[in-house]
Amino acid sequence: MPLPPGVRARDFSDALKQFGEAVGKEWVFSSEEDVSLYRDSFSPFWHEEEDPVPAAAVAPHSVEQVQQVLKVANQYKIPLWTISTGRNLGYGGSAPNISGTVMLDLKRMDRVLDVNEGNASCLVEPGVSYLDLYKYIQAKKIKLWLDPPDPGWGSLVGNTCERGGGYTPMRDHFENHCGMEVVLPNGDVVRTGMGALPAAKTWQQYKYGFGPYLDGIFTQSNFGVVTKMGFWLMPEPEAHITGTVSIPKQEDLPRFIDILSYLINTGAVQGTTRVFGGGGGGGRGGAAGGAGSAAWTTNLPFYGAAKVVAAQWEHAKDKFSEIPGATFRDGESYRFPLSLEQIDKIRNPVSVGIPNLSFFGGRSEGHIFFAPIIPMSGEGVLEATKVFDKAFADLGRPGRSFIFPQSYFPRSFVTIFTFPIEHNVENNRKNRELYKRLVKIAAENGYGEYRTHTAFMEDAMETYSFGNHSLRRTHETIKDALDPNGILAPGKNGIWPKRLRKARA
Ligand SMILES: Cc1cc2nc3c(=O)[nH]c(=O)nc-3n(C[C@H](O)[C@H](O)[C@H](O)COP(=O)(O)OP(=O)(O)OC[C@H]3O[C@@H](n4cnc5c(N)ncnc54)[C@H](O)[C@@H]3O)c2cc1C
C-alpha cells in the first residue's frame, strides 16, 4: 500500500499501532485486500497511476475514538478522509483524492439517537443509512417520512455533507438538517445551533442558535468530522398524487418553464420535477416517460391532505392551460399508509420516502456526474440548452440536445449529465478532458457545479473566482486556523492547507 505523502514507513507503522490502541486493532485495516475496498469503483482513473489508493482505514466507534484518531494523525501529519457510509458513487465513492490517505470510516457509528414524532425530527450518527432509519421508523410504527436520494444505502450525514438532494418536499438535505456535532482537527467537539446550549431542548427544532451560523462550513469542506446530525422529517401526508402536463409546441418551452417555476416557488408543487422532451426521458426526477407527440412534458408531485392535493393539481392545470394545446394526465395517486402490496408496485419509491436500490438495476461499469446549476426560468433553460448543445458539438459529442432540468433545490434547476466510466484508459482520458472543458465553458456562461467528483474539485473551485478567488482564500484562511497540520482531506473541494498549498498562477 502507498505511504501517506511525506511520512516515513517506520512512523506510519507506529501510527497504525496507535490507531489500533485508539479503536481496537481489529478496526484498523491495512492489508491490500481490505484497503482496496475503499477505492472508487466508479473511478475515472481506472488502471492509471492517478487512481487514488488509500494507505489504510480506521473505523472508530465513538466521538472519543474519533478524537484519538485525529490526535495520532496530527502527530504524524497523516491525511485522513472521512466517510460516513462511503457510497458517494459518481462523485468519488469511498475513495480519497490523494493516494496514501488514511480513510476515517464512520460506518460503525450507526446509532439512531432520537426520533421525535411530535416535532418531526431526528438525530443520527454518521453510519445510519437511509435504509437503517427507514427500518427503525417502520419497526416503531412512527408516522414520519425521510427523504432518500436514489440509492438508499448511503447515509443521511454523508449525503448532507455533500449537500445532496432527494424527491419529496424535504428534498434539499442541507436545508432540512438541524444541528450538528463536529470534531475539529484539534479534537475540540463543537455543537452547532441550539446544541451549544448544554441543556438545549430544541437542538433539532431551531437551527440557528446564537451568533454566526456555522453549519455550512462543515459541508463540502475539510474543516471537521461530523459525528452527529439532526434532520427535519416529514409527517406522513394523507395523500400523494402526480399529474403529467404536456405541450405540443417546441417554442412554448419558456412559458412552460415559467409556469412550472411559479408553481414551485408558490409551494403548489413540492417535490422534485423534471422537464423532458416528448417521447422519452423518464427516469430520474419521477417523470413517467414520454407523452406521445408532445414537445415538452413534466411530472408534478403534490403532497398533503387529499382535498388539498386535488385542488393543487387543478390549480396547476388552470395555469398550464394558458399554453395552447396543453394536455393533462392523472398519474399516481396514494393514500397513506400504504399496504405492502402497494409498496411493491410503486414505480418510484423514493418519491414517497421509501429508500431502495432499484436505481442500480442494469447499470454497467459506472459513471460520473457533471452537475451545473442553471436558472429556473424559461429564458434561462433555453439559453443553457443552447450553451451545452454547442459545447458538446464543439467538443466532438453532438446530439445532447436538451438538458433535462430538475428541481432538487429551490429557485434553481440542476441539470445532471452522466459520463460513462469504463475499464478503458483511453476513453476515460477523453471523458476527463471533455469534463474539464465543460466545467470551464459552463463557468464562462455563468453556470457552476453544485457538487463534483473528487477528480474535478480543483477545476470546479477554480471557476468560483470572483474577487481574485476571495472565496477560496477565505476557505483556506479557515482551513489554516482550524487544521494547521492540514490533516483533514487536503485539497478536498479545492481547499489546501498551507503546508501543501501549491503555487497558483
Ligand atoms: C445511480 C446513482 C444515483 C444517485 N442519486 C443521487 C440522488 O438522487 N441524490 C444525491 O444526493 N446523490 C445521488 N447519488 C450520489 C450518492 O450515491 C449519494 O449522494 C450518497 O448518499 C452519498 O454517499 P454516502 O451517503 O455514503 O456519503 P459518504 O460517501 O459517506 O460521504 C460523502 C462525502 O461527504 C464527506 N463526509 C462524509 N461523512 C462525513 C462526516 N461525517 N464528516 C465530514 N465529512 C463527511 C466526505 O467528503 C465524503 O467523501 C447517486 C449516485 C448514483 C451512483
Side-chain angles (χ1 to χ4, degrees):
M1 303 286 40
L3 284 171
V7 177
R8 287 177 309 180
R10 202 173 155 171
D11 285 345
F12 189 52
S13 155
D14 287 348
L16 286 181
K17 211 166 136 235
Q18 290 183 37
F19 284 144
E21 285 160 14
V23 303
K25 61 179 186 322
E26 67 277 31
W27 297 110
V28 178
F29 305 101
S30 56
S31 72
E32 187 170 353
E33 193 187 1
D34 287 337
V35 171
S36 63
L37 295 174
Y38 290 93
R39 294 177 70 170
D40 179 9
S41 49
F42 288 6
S43 172
F45 295 110
W46 269 125
H47 313 297
E48 291 182 70
E49 280 265 301
E50 293 91 332
D51 191 22
V53 180
V58 50
H61 190 244
S62 66
V63 173
E64 294 70 28
Q65 291 187 0
V66 171
Q67 290 172 297
Q68 285 302 316
V69 170
L70 291 175
K71 196 171 166 195
V72 177
N74 268 302
Q75 185 185 337
Y76 293 96
K77 295 201 170 61
I78 293 173
L80 297 173
W81 185 283
T82 311
I83 53 170
S84 286
T85 44
R87 309 289 193 195
N88 202 19
L89 293 166
Y91 297 106
S94 50
N97 58 339
I98 302 174
S99 280
T101 298
V102 170
M103 304 307 298
L104 179 57
D105 182 345
L106 304 183
K107 264 202 283 307
R108 292 176 67 220
M109 296 175 68
D110 60 356
R111 286 156 285 223
V112 176
L113 299 167
D114 185 40
V115 175
N116 179 335
E117 187 165 7
N119 236 323
S121 62
C122 70
L123 180 68
V124 295
E125 290 190 328
V128 174
S129 71
Y130 289 93
L131 288 163
D132 294 335
L133 184 61
Y134 180 74
K135 279 187 214 149
Y136 180 98
I137 284 176
Q138 293 306 306
K140 294 196 179 311
K141 300 195 187 320
I142 296 170
K143 295 214 167 299
L144 291 177
W145 282 16
L146 45 144
D147 182 279
D150 283 314
W153 59 4
S155 58
L156 286 85
V157 172
N159 182 283
T160 305
C161 283
E162 280 283 275
R163 298 201 293 264
Y167 291 93
T168 76
M170 314 302 278
R171 63 196 181 280
D172 179 346
H173 294 164
F174 178 73
E175 179 66 24
N176 286 299
H177 96 284
C178 189
M180 293 181 180
E181 179 186 85
V182 187
V183 185
L184 300 182
N186 67 2
D188 250 4
V189 181
V190 175
R191 289 189 171 179
T192 66
M194 297 311 282
L197 195 74
K201 291 195 165 61
T202 52
W203 191 16
Q204 271 60 69
Q205 281 75 43
Y206 181 69
K207 291 179 181 193
Y208 306 120
F210 189 75
Y213 178 64
L214 290 186
D215 296 40
I217 69 166
F218 298 112
T219 63
Q220 294 197 4
S221 78
N222 46 15
F223 299 158
V225 178
V226 178
T227 45
K228 292 181 184 61
M229 208 187 273
F231 292 92
W232 289 345
L233 303 173
M234 186 164 109
E236 181 178 82
E238 192 177 292
H240 166 57
I241 62 171
T242 62
T244 303
V245 186
S246 301
I247 57 164
K249 290 197 189 133
Q250 292 282 344
E251 62 268 26
D252 284 330
L253 178 69
R255 188 73 198 118
F256 188 63
I257 302 266
D258 285 339
I259 293 171
L260 177 62
S261 162
Y262 171 83
L263 291 170
I264 294 171
N265 291 343
T266 53
V269 166
Q270 307 122 334
T272 296
T273 56
R274 184 185 197 223
V275 176
F276 54 97
R284 295 181 70 100
S293 60
W296 304 110
T297 296
T298 189
N299 234 34
L300 308 178
F302 306 95
Y303 299 84
K307 283 183 188 163
V308 175
V309 294
Q312 281 164 327
W313 178 210
E314 285 309 311
H315 170 59
K317 286 183 196 167
D318 284 349
K319 286 286 169 196
F320 281 111
S321 294
E322 289 172 20
I323 301 177
T327 55
F328 306 98
R329 189 157 45 85
D330 292 346
E332 289 157 308
S333 172
Y334 299 111
R335 294 292 283 260
F336 301 98
L338 298 176
S339 67
L340 284 178
E341 206 184 353
Q342 280 176 304
I343 290 176
D344 269 353
K345 289 189 186 140
I346 296 179
R347 200 185 49 80
N348 193 23
V350 287
S351 66
V352 292
I354 303 177
N356 64 91
L357 291 175
S358 58
F359 209 81
F360 285 106
R363 286 188 185 247
S364 56
E365 290 169 338
H367 54 268
I368 51 175
F369 299 116
F370 172 62
I373 296 286
I374 64 163
M376 190 188 275
S377 69
E379 199 187 320
V381 169
L382 267 191
E383 193 187 328
T385 300
K386 278 187 205 145
V387 166
F388 288 113
D389 199 12
K390 179 170 181 323
F392 277 104
D394 289 352
L395 297 172
R397 302 278 179 94
R400 298 226 186 194
S401 53
F402 187 58
I403 54 176
F404 302 117
Q406 299 181 70
S407 60
Y408 271 130
F409 307 105
R411 299 299 196 274
S412 61
F413 283 128
V414 57
T415 159
I416 301 184
F417 300 91
T418 303
F419 285 76
I421 291 299
E422 300 171 34
H423 285 260
N424 177 318
V425 170
E426 203 39 47
N427 288 354
N428 288 343
R429 265 192 199 140
K430 280 189 197 145
N431 273 329
R432 291 202 308 265
E433 194 46 42
L434 178 67
Y435 194 112
K436 282 170 178 276
R437 303 265 303 273
L438 275 173
V439 173
K440 280 196 181 143
I441 294 171
E444 283 157 16
N445 287 279
Y447 315 122
E449 281 196 279
Y450 95 96
R451 168 184 184 185
T452 198
H453 189 283
T454 40
F456 307 104
M457 285 180 170
E458 197 70 26
D459 302 270
M461 194 64 231
E462 183 67 26
T463 64
Y464 284 84
S465 61
F466 171 82
N468 189 23
H469 295 279
S470 55
L471 181 66
R472 184 169 66 196
R473 280 186 277 115
T474 307
H475 290 161
E476 292 186 338
T477 303
I478 297 173
K479 179 72 177 166
D480 291 342
L482 295 183
D483 186 8
N485 290 323
I487 54 160
L488 284 185
K492 180 171 185 299
N493 286 85
I495 308 166
W496 290 93
K498 199 168 193 171
R499 75 180 173 95
L500 298 172
R501 206 166 293 152
K502 296 166 195 151
R504 291 187 178 117

